[in-house]
Amino acid sequence: MKNPNLTIIILTFNEEQNIRRCLDSVQGITVNILVVDSGSTDKTLDILKEYKVQVLSHPFDNYSKQRNWAQQNNPFRTEWVFQLDAGEQLSPALNNWLKNDFDPQADYDGYMFCRRMIFLGKWIKHGGQYPIYHMRLYRTSKGKCEEKVYDQHFVLDGKKYVVKKGIDLIDQVAPDLRTFTMGHSRWAIMEAAETLM
């Protein structure tokens, strides 16, 4: 049974290479899927029309502001949200956990999941990259994205639960070196701005 108390929020900008994989991974969990797009000029919006999702458009300033805007303007007004990037997807185990094991009435306000980083098509299991846990599922009244320009995390004012590794969030970090280099250039600019503020 699909959870009516949960919204999955996905941010997009020119994600035609990723958005199908992301949306396919969340099928069967909830009917409440919100995509916030920041002006895509590729085929992202056309692809979104193929799925039963709510699409809102909002100019991008930084990830923190975009995530919090999406949460505050969620038309479904659900008690719970699960935050995703278009370059991420749920593992089959995480999809199954959300459908069969997540209890929105349990005595927890947020859940942390292990991030499985995929770099150039390969899972990076060593070098301190796994397991790393991130808050992604939480009560809207208890959680938000911290207000930082760079390296933001979701923060919780409540009781958290750490879901065992293997029930993972999969992050497609970079399909090629060009994408990886351009991404790091953007992050370097944001980190410099954060330092100088």
Side-chain angles (χ1 to χ4, degrees), residues 41-80:
T41 56
D42 64 356
K43 297 179 181 177
T44 298
L45 296 176
D46 293 330
I47 294 170
L48 290 173
K49 291 176 183 177
E50 301 173 20
Y51 292 82
K52 293 181 179 179
V53 298
Q54 175 76 48
V55 180
L56 298 179
S57 179
H58 187 258
F60 186 88
D61 186 0
N62 62 53
Y63 281 103
S64 175
K65 289 182 179 180
Q66 193 79 337
R67 292 186 189 284
N68 288 329
W69 185 91
Q71 183 172 322
Q72 292 160 7
N73 291 274
N74 175 13
F76 302 114
R77 301 295 178 193
T78 52
E79 181 182 6
W80 291 86

mmCIF file of all heavy atoms in Angstrom, residues 41-80:
data_model
loop_
_atom_site.group_PDB
_atom_site.id
_atom_site.type_symbol
_atom_site.label_atom_id
_atom_site.label_comp_id
_atom_site.label_asym_id
_atom_site.label_seq_id
_atom_site.Cartn_x
_atom_site.Cartn_y
_atom_site.Cartn_z
ATOM 1 N N THR A 41 16.694 23.180 -19.569
ATOM 2 C CA THR A 41 16.588 23.497 -20.992
ATOM 3 C C THR A 41 16.786 22.262 -21.868
ATOM 4 O O THR A 41 16.737 22.356 -23.100
ATOM 5 C CB THR A 41 17.630 24.567 -21.385
ATOM 6 O OG1 THR A 41 18.936 24.104 -21.032
ATOM 7 C CG2 THR A 41 17.350 25.880 -20.679
ATOM 8 N N ASP A 42 17.016 21.104 -21.234
ATOM 9 C CA ASP A 42 17.159 19.858 -21.991
ATOM 10 C C ASP A 42 15.801 19.139 -22.010
ATOM 11 O O ASP A 42 14.752 19.784 -21.959
ATOM 12 C CB ASP A 42 18.281 18.989 -21.407
ATOM 13 C CG ASP A 42 17.983 18.513 -19.987
ATOM 14 O OD1 ASP A 42 16.932 18.918 -19.424
ATOM 15 O OD2 ASP A 42 18.776 17.737 -19.445
ATOM 16 N N LYS A 43 15.778 17.830 -22.041
ATOM 17 C CA LYS A 43 14.525 17.083 -22.143
ATOM 18 C C LYS A 43 13.931 16.687 -20.787
ATOM 19 O O LYS A 43 12.973 15.912 -20.736
ATOM 20 C CB LYS A 43 14.748 15.829 -22.987
ATOM 21 C CG LYS A 43 15.137 16.138 -24.425
ATOM 22 C CD LYS A 43 15.378 14.856 -25.216
ATOM 23 C CE LYS A 43 15.800 15.175 -26.643
ATOM 24 N NZ LYS A 43 16.108 13.938 -27.416
ATOM 25 N N THR A 44 14.482 17.235 -19.703
ATOM 26 C CA THR A 44 14.009 16.858 -18.365
ATOM 27 C C THR A 44 12.504 17.041 -18.214
ATOM 28 O O THR A 44 11.798 16.130 -17.764
ATOM 29 C CB THR A 44 14.738 17.682 -17.284
ATOM 30 O OG1 THR A 44 16.140 17.399 -17.332
ATOM 31 C CG2 THR A 44 14.207 17.349 -15.897
ATOM 32 N N LEU A 45 11.980 18.199 -18.575
ATOM 33 C CA LEU A 45 10.555 18.481 -18.384
ATOM 34 C C LEU A 45 9.679 17.587 -19.255
ATOM 35 O O LEU A 45 8.589 17.178 -18.835
ATOM 36 C CB LEU A 45 10.273 19.955 -18.655
ATOM 37 C CG LEU A 45 10.953 20.939 -17.683
ATOM 38 C CD1 LEU A 45 10.687 22.376 -18.110
ATOM 39 C CD2 LEU A 45 10.483 20.706 -16.254
ATOM 40 N N ASP A 46 10.149 17.253 -20.438
ATOM 41 C CA ASP A 46 9.405 16.329 -21.302
ATOM 42 C C ASP A 46 9.337 14.944 -20.671
ATOM 43 O O ASP A 46 8.291 14.284 -20.705
ATOM 44 C CB ASP A 46 10.063 16.235 -22.680
ATOM 45 C CG ASP A 46 9.960 17.530 -23.467
ATOM 46 O OD1 ASP A 46 8.971 18.263 -23.268
ATOM 47 O OD2 ASP A 46 10.867 17.804 -24.268
ATOM 48 N N ILE A 47 10.420 14.499 -20.092
ATOM 49 C CA ILE A 47 10.452 13.189 -19.445
ATOM 50 C C ILE A 47 9.525 13.177 -18.237
ATOM 51 O O ILE A 47 8.796 12.206 -17.997
ATOM 52 C CB ILE A 47 11.893 12.825 -19.037
ATOM 53 C CG1 ILE A 47 12.762 12.638 -20.285
ATOM 54 C CG2 ILE A 47 11.914 11.569 -18.172
ATOM 55 C CD1 ILE A 47 14.241 12.521 -20.009
ATOM 56 N N LEU A 48 9.512 14.271 -17.478
ATOM 57 C CA LEU A 48 8.666 14.335 -16.283
ATOM 58 C C LEU A 48 7.183 14.181 -16.632
ATOM 59 O O LEU A 48 6.400 13.663 -15.831
ATOM 60 C CB LEU A 48 8.897 15.648 -15.540
ATOM 61 C CG LEU A 48 10.255 15.795 -14.843
ATOM 62 C CD1 LEU A 48 10.428 17.198 -14.292
ATOM 63 C CD2 LEU A 48 10.412 14.757 -13.738
ATOM 64 N N LYS A 49 6.789 14.615 -17.832
ATOM 65 C CA LYS A 49 5.389 14.499 -18.250
ATOM 66 C C LYS A 49 4.957 13.042 -18.395
ATOM 67 O O LYS A 49 3.766 12.744 -18.368
ATOM 68 C CB LYS A 49 5.173 15.239 -19.575
ATOM 69 C CG LYS A 49 5.286 16.749 -19.448
ATOM 70 C CD LYS A 49 5.170 17.426 -20.806
ATOM 71 C CE LYS A 49 5.349 18.926 -20.693
ATOM 72 N NZ LYS A 49 5.319 19.607 -22.015
ATOM 73 N N GLU A 50 5.924 12.139 -18.532
ATOM 74 C CA GLU A 50 5.606 10.720 -18.679
ATOM 75 C C GLU A 50 5.271 10.075 -17.332
ATOM 76 O O GLU A 50 4.741 8.969 -17.284
ATOM 77 C CB GLU A 50 6.786 9.985 -19.307
ATOM 78 C CG GLU A 50 7.189 10.498 -20.683
ATOM 79 C CD GLU A 50 8.465 9.857 -21.174
ATOM 80 O OE1 GLU A 50 8.820 8.773 -20.662
ATOM 81 O OE2 GLU A 50 9.122 10.435 -22.066
ATOM 82 N N TYR A 51 5.600 10.763 -16.255
ATOM 83 C CA TYR A 51 5.403 10.218 -14.910
ATOM 84 C C TYR A 51 4.305 10.998 -14.183
ATOM 85 O O TYR A 51 4.066 12.175 -14.464
ATOM 86 C CB TYR A 51 6.698 10.305 -14.106
ATOM 87 C CG TYR A 51 7.798 9.398 -14.598
ATOM 88 C CD1 TYR A 51 8.597 9.770 -15.675
ATOM 89 C CD2 TYR A 51 8.039 8.168 -14.001
ATOM 90 C CE1 TYR A 51 9.620 8.936 -16.142
ATOM 91 C CE2 TYR A 51 9.051 7.331 -14.451
ATOM 92 C CZ TYR A 51 9.831 7.720 -15.526
ATOM 93 O OH TYR A 51 10.833 6.892 -15.972
ATOM 94 N N LYS A 52 3.658 10.340 -13.243
ATOM 95 C CA LYS A 52 2.623 10.999 -12.459
ATOM 96 C C LYS A 52 3.270 11.711 -11.278
ATOM 97 O O LYS A 52 3.273 11.223 -10.143
ATOM 98 C CB LYS A 52 1.597 9.973 -11.984
ATOM 99 C CG LYS A 52 0.787 9.368 -13.114
ATOM 100 C CD LYS A 52 -0.239 8.363 -12.612
ATOM 101 C CE LYS A 52 -1.046 7.785 -13.761
ATOM 102 N NZ LYS A 52 -2.036 6.782 -13.297
ATOM 103 N N VAL A 53 3.837 12.871 -11.574
ATOM 104 C CA VAL A 53 4.508 13.655 -10.544
ATOM 105 C C VAL A 53 4.024 15.102 -10.619
ATOM 106 O O VAL A 53 3.587 15.573 -11.671
ATOM 107 C CB VAL A 53 6.049 13.610 -10.686
ATOM 108 C CG1 VAL A 53 6.558 12.186 -10.534
ATOM 109 C CG2 VAL A 53 6.505 14.205 -12.014
ATOM 110 N N GLN A 54 4.117 15.780 -9.492
ATOM 111 C CA GLN A 54 3.828 17.213 -9.434
ATOM 112 C C GLN A 54 5.123 17.958 -9.714
ATOM 113 O O GLN A 54 6.151 17.672 -9.097
ATOM 114 C CB GLN A 54 3.307 17.590 -8.045
ATOM 115 C CG GLN A 54 3.089 19.068 -7.834
ATOM 116 C CD GLN A 54 1.826 19.567 -8.510
ATOM 117 O OE1 GLN A 54 0.765 18.968 -8.366
ATOM 118 N NE2 GLN A 54 1.937 20.662 -9.247
ATOM 119 N N VAL A 55 5.090 18.911 -10.643
ATOM 120 C CA VAL A 55 6.293 19.673 -10.998
ATOM 121 C C VAL A 55 6.081 21.146 -10.660
ATOM 122 O O VAL A 55 5.092 21.754 -11.080
ATOM 123 C CB VAL A 55 6.643 19.532 -12.491
ATOM 124 C CG1 VAL A 55 7.903 20.328 -12.820
ATOM 125 C CG2 VAL A 55 6.819 18.060 -12.855
ATOM 126 N N LEU A 56 7.010 21.701 -9.894
ATOM 127 C CA LEU A 56 7.033 23.130 -9.610
ATOM 128 C C LEU A 56 8.329 23.700 -10.148
ATOM 129 O O LEU A 56 9.351 23.012 -10.191
ATOM 130 C CB LEU A 56 6.938 23.394 -8.105
ATOM 131 C CG LEU A 56 5.684 22.918 -7.373
ATOM 132 C CD1 LEU A 56 5.787 23.247 -5.885
ATOM 133 C CD2 LEU A 56 4.430 23.547 -7.974
ATOM 134 N N SER A 57 8.288 24.955 -10.549
ATOM 135 C CA SER A 57 9.490 25.638 -11.028
ATOM 136 C C SER A 57 9.887 26.701 -10.021
ATOM 137 O O SER A 57 9.032 27.447 -9.523
ATOM 138 C CB SER A 57 9.209 26.278 -12.391
ATOM 139 O OG SER A 57 10.359 26.954 -12.866
ATOM 140 N N HIS A 58 11.186 26.748 -9.723
ATOM 141 C CA HIS A 58 11.679 27.759 -8.782
ATOM 142 C C HIS A 58 13.131 28.077 -9.105
ATOM 143 O O HIS A 58 13.940 27.163 -9.282
ATOM 144 C CB HIS A 58 11.558 27.245 -7.341
ATOM 145 C CG HIS A 58 11.886 28.286 -6.315
ATOM 146 N ND1 HIS A 58 13.093 28.320 -5.653
ATOM 147 C CD2 HIS A 58 11.172 29.341 -5.858
ATOM 148 C CE1 HIS A 58 13.095 29.345 -4.817
ATOM 149 N NE2 HIS A 58 11.947 29.978 -4.926
ATOM 150 N N PRO A 59 13.486 29.368 -9.200
ATOM 151 C CA PRO A 59 14.880 29.729 -9.499
ATOM 152 C C PRO A 59 15.837 29.191 -8.442
ATOM 153 O O PRO A 59 15.512 29.165 -7.256
ATOM 154 C CB PRO A 59 14.864 31.262 -9.496
ATOM 155 C CG PRO A 59 13.436 31.642 -9.679
ATOM 156 C CD PRO A 59 12.623 30.551 -9.043
ATOM 157 N N PHE A 60 17.011 28.775 -8.890
ATOM 158 C CA PHE A 60 18.008 28.179 -7.998
ATOM 159 C C PHE A 60 18.954 29.242 -7.467
ATOM 160 O O PHE A 60 19.538 30.004 -8.231
ATOM 161 C CB PHE A 60 18.798 27.105 -8.747
ATOM 162 C CG PHE A 60 19.744 26.329 -7.884
ATOM 163 C CD1 PHE A 60 19.324 25.193 -7.219
ATOM 164 C CD2 PHE A 60 21.064 26.741 -7.732
ATOM 165 C CE1 PHE A 60 20.196 24.469 -6.427
ATOM 166 C CE2 PHE A 60 21.941 26.028 -6.948
ATOM 167 C CZ PHE A 60 21.507 24.892 -6.295
ATOM 168 N N ASP A 61 19.099 29.282 -6.149
ATOM 169 C CA ASP A 61 20.099 30.134 -5.503
ATOM 170 C C ASP A 61 21.209 29.255 -4.958
ATOM 171 O O ASP A 61 22.357 29.340 -5.345
ATOM 172 C CB ASP A 61 19.448 30.967 -4.400
ATOM 173 C CG ASP A 61 20.413 31.980 -3.806
ATOM 174 O OD1 ASP A 61 21.578 32.043 -4.251
ATOM 175 O OD2 ASP A 61 20.020 32.720 -2.882
ATOM 176 N N ASN A 62 20.835 28.354 -4.039
ATOM 177 C CA ASN A 62 21.755 27.321 -3.572
ATOM 178 C C ASN A 62 20.917 26.126 -3.123
ATOM 179 O O ASN A 62 19.697 26.210 -3.020
ATOM 180 C CB ASN A 62 22.693 27.827 -2.463
ATOM 181 C CG ASN A 62 21.954 28.280 -1.214
ATOM 182 O OD1 ASN A 62 21.143 27.557 -0.648
ATOM 183 N ND2 ASN A 62 22.228 29.501 -0.773
ATOM 184 N N TYR A 63 21.598 25.014 -2.863
ATOM 185 C CA TYR A 63 20.878 23.780 -2.545
ATOM 186 C C TYR A 63 20.039 23.912 -1.281
ATOM 187 O O TYR A 63 18.914 23.418 -1.200
ATOM 188 C CB TYR A 63 21.861 22.615 -2.415
ATOM 189 C CG TYR A 63 22.306 22.065 -3.744
ATOM 190 C CD1 TYR A 63 23.571 22.372 -4.248
ATOM 191 C CD2 TYR A 63 21.477 21.257 -4.506
ATOM 192 C CE1 TYR A 63 23.984 21.886 -5.481
ATOM 193 C CE2 TYR A 63 21.875 20.767 -5.735
ATOM 194 C CZ TYR A 63 23.131 21.078 -6.217
ATOM 195 O OH TYR A 63 23.535 20.603 -7.442
ATOM 196 N N SER A 64 20.587 24.567 -0.289
ATOM 197 C CA SER A 64 19.869 24.711 0.974
ATOM 198 C C SER A 64 18.548 25.442 0.774
ATOM 199 O O SER A 64 17.484 24.965 1.192
ATOM 200 C CB SER A 64 20.746 25.464 1.985
ATOM 201 O OG SER A 64 20.036 25.715 3.173
ATOM 202 N N LYS A 65 18.602 26.581 0.124
ATOM 203 C CA LYS A 65 17.379 27.364 -0.097
ATOM 204 C C LYS A 65 16.390 26.604 -0.988
ATOM 205 O O LYS A 65 15.178 26.652 -0.756
ATOM 206 C CB LYS A 65 17.727 28.710 -0.716
ATOM 207 C CG LYS A 65 18.424 29.662 0.249
ATOM 208 C CD LYS A 65 18.701 31.011 -0.391
ATOM 209 C CE LYS A 65 19.387 31.951 0.594
ATOM 210 N NZ LYS A 65 19.667 33.279 -0.028
ATOM 211 N N GLN A 66 16.904 25.899 -1.991
ATOM 212 C CA GLN A 66 16.016 25.168 -2.900
ATOM 213 C C GLN A 66 15.323 24.019 -2.179
ATOM 214 O O GLN A 66 14.118 23.785 -2.356
ATOM 215 C CB GLN A 66 16.804 24.657 -4.110
ATOM 216 C CG GLN A 66 15.939 24.172 -5.254
ATOM 217 C CD GLN A 66 15.367 25.306 -6.097
ATOM 218 O OE1 GLN A 66 15.245 26.445 -5.649
ATOM 219 N NE2 GLN A 66 15.001 24.995 -7.321
ATOM 220 N N ARG A 67 16.067 23.290 -1.381
ATOM 221 C CA ARG A 67 15.478 22.161 -0.647
ATOM 222 C C ARG A 67 14.433 22.645 0.351
ATOM 223 O O ARG A 67 13.344 22.062 0.465
ATOM 224 C CB ARG A 67 16.570 21.375 0.072
ATOM 225 C CG ARG A 67 17.509 20.634 -0.858
ATOM 226 C CD ARG A 67 18.470 19.768 -0.051
ATOM 227 N NE ARG A 67 19.525 19.195 -0.856
ATOM 228 C CZ ARG A 67 19.400 18.175 -1.684
ATOM 229 N NH1 ARG A 67 18.213 17.614 -1.846
ATOM 230 N NH2 ARG A 67 20.438 17.704 -2.352
ATOM 231 N N ASN A 68 14.759 23.699 1.084
ATOM 232 C CA ASN A 68 13.812 24.200 2.080
ATOM 233 C C ASN A 68 12.592 24.834 1.422
ATOM 234 O O ASN A 68 11.471 24.709 1.931
ATOM 235 C CB ASN A 68 14.512 25.183 3.018
ATOM 236 C CG ASN A 68 15.477 24.480 3.959
ATOM 237 O OD1 ASN A 68 15.268 23.322 4.343
ATOM 238 N ND2 ASN A 68 16.550 25.148 4.324
ATOM 239 N N TRP A 69 12.788 25.491 0.268
ATOM 240 C CA TRP A 69 11.638 26.036 -0.464
ATOM 241 C C TRP A 69 10.724 24.905 -0.906
ATOM 242 O O TRP A 69 9.498 25.002 -0.799
ATOM 243 C CB TRP A 69 12.115 26.836 -1.679
ATOM 244 C CG TRP A 69 10.990 27.519 -2.395
ATOM 245 C CD1 TRP A 69 10.517 28.782 -2.173
ATOM 246 C CD2 TRP A 69 10.159 26.957 -3.433
ATOM 247 N NE1 TRP A 69 9.451 29.051 -3.010
ATOM 248 C CE2 TRP A 69 9.213 27.950 -3.798
ATOM 249 C CE3 TRP A 69 10.138 25.734 -4.090
ATOM 250 C CZ2 TRP A 69 8.260 27.734 -4.781
ATOM 251 C CZ3 TRP A 69 9.172 25.521 -5.070
ATOM 252 C CH2 TRP A 69 8.243 26.514 -5.415
ATOM 253 N N ALA A 70 11.316 23.844 -1.423
ATOM 254 C CA ALA A 70 10.522 22.692 -1.872
ATOM 255 C C ALA A 70 9.708 22.114 -0.717
ATOM 256 O O ALA A 70 8.524 21.794 -0.870
ATOM 257 C CB ALA A 70 11.439 21.628 -2.465
ATOM 258 N N GLN A 71 10.337 21.976 0.424
ATOM 259 C CA GLN A 71 9.642 21.420 1.591
ATOM 260 C C GLN A 71 8.513 22.347 2.049
ATOM 261 O O GLN A 71 7.411 21.890 2.360
ATOM 262 C CB GLN A 71 10.650 21.204 2.721
ATOM 263 C CG GLN A 71 10.048 20.562 3.958
ATOM 264 C CD GLN A 71 11.118 20.196 4.972
ATOM 265 O OE1 GLN A 71 12.215 19.760 4.607
ATOM 266 N NE2 GLN A 71 10.825 20.384 6.234
ATOM 267 N N GLN A 72 8.765 23.645 2.080
ATOM 268 C CA GLN A 72 7.777 24.607 2.554
ATOM 269 C C GLN A 72 6.618 24.766 1.581
ATOM 270 O O GLN A 72 5.501 25.119 1.981
ATOM 271 C CB GLN A 72 8.445 25.963 2.795
ATOM 272 C CG GLN A 72 9.416 25.959 3.961
ATOM 273 C CD GLN A 72 10.418 27.107 3.894
ATOM 274 O OE1 GLN A 72 10.317 27.990 3.044
ATOM 275 N NE2 GLN A 72 11.384 27.093 4.788
ATOM 276 N N ASN A 73 6.869 24.505 0.290
ATOM 277 C CA ASN A 73 5.836 24.682 -0.730
ATOM 278 C C ASN A 73 5.303 23.352 -1.262
ATOM 279 O O ASN A 73 4.709 23.317 -2.342
ATOM 280 C CB ASN A 73 6.388 25.532 -1.875
ATOM 281 C CG ASN A 73 6.618 26.970 -1.456
ATOM 282 O OD1 ASN A 73 5.716 27.795 -1.498
ATOM 283 N ND2 ASN A 73 7.832 27.281 -1.022
ATOM 284 N N ASN A 74 5.510 22.311 -0.512
ATOM 285 C CA ASN A 74 5.022 20.986 -0.889
ATOM 286 C C ASN A 74 3.486 20.993 -0.940
ATOM 287 O O ASN A 74 2.831 21.134 0.088
ATOM 288 C CB ASN A 74 5.513 19.959 0.141
ATOM 289 C CG ASN A 74 4.952 18.572 -0.100
ATOM 290 O OD1 ASN A 74 4.391 18.278 -1.151
ATOM 291 N ND2 ASN A 74 5.117 17.709 0.888
ATOM 292 N N PRO A 75 2.899 20.835 -2.123
ATOM 293 C CA PRO A 75 1.435 20.902 -2.216
ATOM 294 C C PRO A 75 0.725 19.730 -1.540
ATOM 295 O O PRO A 75 -0.474 19.817 -1.256
ATOM 296 C CB PRO A 75 1.188 20.897 -3.732
ATOM 297 C CG PRO A 75 2.381 20.199 -4.304
ATOM 298 C CD PRO A 75 3.537 20.582 -3.421
ATOM 299 N N PHE A 76 1.443 18.654 -1.259
ATOM 300 C CA PHE A 76 0.821 17.488 -0.633
ATOM 301 C C PHE A 76 0.714 17.622 0.882
ATOM 302 O O PHE A 76 -0.035 16.896 1.526
ATOM 303 C CB PHE A 76 1.609 16.225 -0.989
ATOM 304 C CG PHE A 76 1.720 15.980 -2.467
ATOM 305 C CD1 PHE A 76 2.948 16.049 -3.111
ATOM 306 C CD2 PHE A 76 0.596 15.711 -3.228
ATOM 307 C CE1 PHE A 76 3.064 15.833 -4.475
ATOM 308 C CE2 PHE A 76 0.693 15.493 -4.603
ATOM 309 C CZ PHE A 76 1.935 15.556 -5.224
ATOM 310 N N ARG A 77 1.516 18.528 1.466
ATOM 311 C CA ARG A 77 1.448 18.819 2.911
ATOM 312 C C ARG A 77 1.515 17.565 3.768
ATOM 313 O O ARG A 77 0.755 17.408 4.726
ATOM 314 C CB ARG A 77 0.169 19.596 3.237
ATOM 315 C CG ARG A 77 0.032 20.907 2.504
ATOM 316 C CD ARG A 77 1.101 21.875 2.927
ATOM 317 N NE ARG A 77 1.027 23.128 2.194
ATOM 318 C CZ ARG A 77 1.969 24.047 2.185
ATOM 319 N NH1 ARG A 77 3.081 23.847 2.866
ATOM 320 N NH2 ARG A 77 1.831 25.150 1.499
ATOM 321 N N THR A 78 2.417 16.659 3.444
ATOM 322 C CA THR A 78 2.511 15.411 4.190
ATOM 323 C C THR A 78 3.342 15.574 5.462
ATOM 324 O O THR A 78 4.160 16.486 5.581
ATOM 325 C CB THR A 78 3.148 14.319 3.316
ATOM 326 O OG1 THR A 78 4.383 14.804 2.780
ATOM 327 C CG2 THR A 78 2.226 13.922 2.180
ATOM 328 N N GLU A 79 3.147 14.648 6.366
ATOM 329 C CA GLU A 79 3.882 14.662 7.630
ATOM 330 C C GLU A 79 5.355 14.338 7.419
ATOM 331 O O GLU A 79 6.220 14.826 8.152
ATOM 332 C CB GLU A 79 3.264 13.645 8.595
ATOM 333 C CG GLU A 79 3.949 13.598 9.954
ATOM 334 C CD GLU A 79 3.361 12.552 10.881
ATOM 335 O OE1 GLU A 79 2.483 11.778 10.437
ATOM 336 O OE2 GLU A 79 3.782 12.508 12.049
ATOM 337 N N TRP A 80 5.654 13.513 6.414
ATOM 338 C CA TRP A 80 7.017 13.051 6.164
ATOM 339 C C TRP A 80 7.491 13.462 4.769
ATOM 340 O O TRP A 80 6.688 13.546 3.844
ATOM 341 C CB TRP A 80 7.084 11.520 6.259
ATOM 342 C CG TRP A 80 6.885 10.979 7.639
ATOM 343 C CD1 TRP A 80 5.692 10.701 8.246
ATOM 344 C CD2 TRP A 80 7.903 10.653 8.589
ATOM 345 N NE1 TRP A 80 5.916 10.215 9.515
ATOM 346 C CE2 TRP A 80 7.261 10.177 9.754
ATOM 347 C CE3 TRP A 80 9.299 10.700 8.571
ATOM 348 C CZ2 TRP A 80 7.963 9.751 10.881
ATOM 349 C CZ3 TRP A 80 10.009 10.291 9.690
ATOM 350 C CH2 TRP A 80 9.339 9.828 10.825
#
